[in-house]
């Protein structure tokens, strides 16, 4: 009974303090920067990119999903955080990781691209343009 009370108390305290216990995971919005080509190709699916600048201990997944609403392209960058066992060594380093954001084909027009509701980038979609971008620059794969 004493062990059950201790485990229950630990779980309640962890929940109240927003702390993950070993084996517990949650998906949250991830801090990220993003790219958008200045001119993208109309009628073709696009691959934009988000970059997480500092994946630390306990973060196992980094992903992106895209949603188009009118002339807005909203990128949603997420990370999965998992609790670490007590005494787990966590090096004081950051891992930089990129994730693709698959955007469905867009009609010609002017769009605004955001990540997690933050900074906006302008992107013109025209009959000729790029189909992807890279956060570190605009190195384009398959530009037409």
């Amino acid at each position: 009974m004493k062990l059950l009370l201790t485990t229950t108390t630990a779980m309640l305290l962890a929940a109240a303090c927003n702390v993950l216990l070993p084996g517990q995971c949650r998906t949250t919005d991830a801090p990220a920067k993003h790219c958008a080509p200045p001119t993208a190709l109309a009628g073709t699916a696009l691959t934009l990119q988000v970059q997480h600048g500092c994946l630390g201990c306990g973060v196992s997944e980094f992903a992106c999903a895209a949603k188009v609403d009118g002339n807005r392209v909203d990128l949603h960058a997420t990370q999965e955080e998992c609790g670490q066992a007590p005494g787990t060594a966590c090096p004081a380093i950051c891992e930089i990781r990129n994730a693709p954001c698959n955007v469905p084909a867009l009609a010609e027009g002017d769009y605004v691209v955001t990540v997690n509701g933050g900074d906006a980038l302008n992107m013109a979609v025209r009959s000729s343009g790029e189909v992807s971008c890279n956060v570190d620059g605009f190195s384009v794969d398959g530009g037409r």
Side-chain angles (χ1 to χ4, degrees):
M1 182 67 162
K2 189 174 187 179
L3 179 61
L4 178 60
L5 181 58
T6 304
T7 303
T8 302
T9 302
M11 290 178 71
L12 289 172
L13 288 172
C17 297
N18 203 24
V19 174
L20 293 171
L21 295 174
Q24 289 182 321
C25 297
R26 68 175 165 227
T27 300
T28 61
D29 286 353
K33 60 183 181 175
H34 64 300
C35 67
T39 305
L41 181 62
T44 302
L46 306 175
T47 303
L48 307 184
Q49 189 179 72
V50 293
Q51 183 178 77
H52 193 304
C54 188
L55 281 174
C57 270
V59 178
S60 60
E61 297 291 328
F62 177 56
C64 181
K67 180 178 131 187
V68 178
D69 184 12
N71 71 335
R72 294 189 61 83
V73 178
D74 297 312
L75 307 179
H76 188 207
T78 58
Q79 61 188 4
E80 183 179 65
E81 302 172 282
C82 297
Q84 301 294 302
T88 300
C90 185
I93 59 171
C94 290
E95 177 188 351
I96 296 172
R97 191 179 300 173
N98 296 334
C101 305
N102 298 315
V103 179
L106 300 172
E108 286 193 38
D110 295 319
Y111 292 81
V112 174
V113 182
T114 62
V115 63
N116 294 347
D119 294 338
L121 298 174
N122 294 318
M123 180 175 69
V125 177
R126 303 290 185 258
S127 60
S128 67
E130 302 162 5
V131 296
S132 65
C133 64
N134 182 299
V135 170
D136 295 321
F138 290 112
S139 59
V140 177
D141 300 320
R144 296 183 189 140

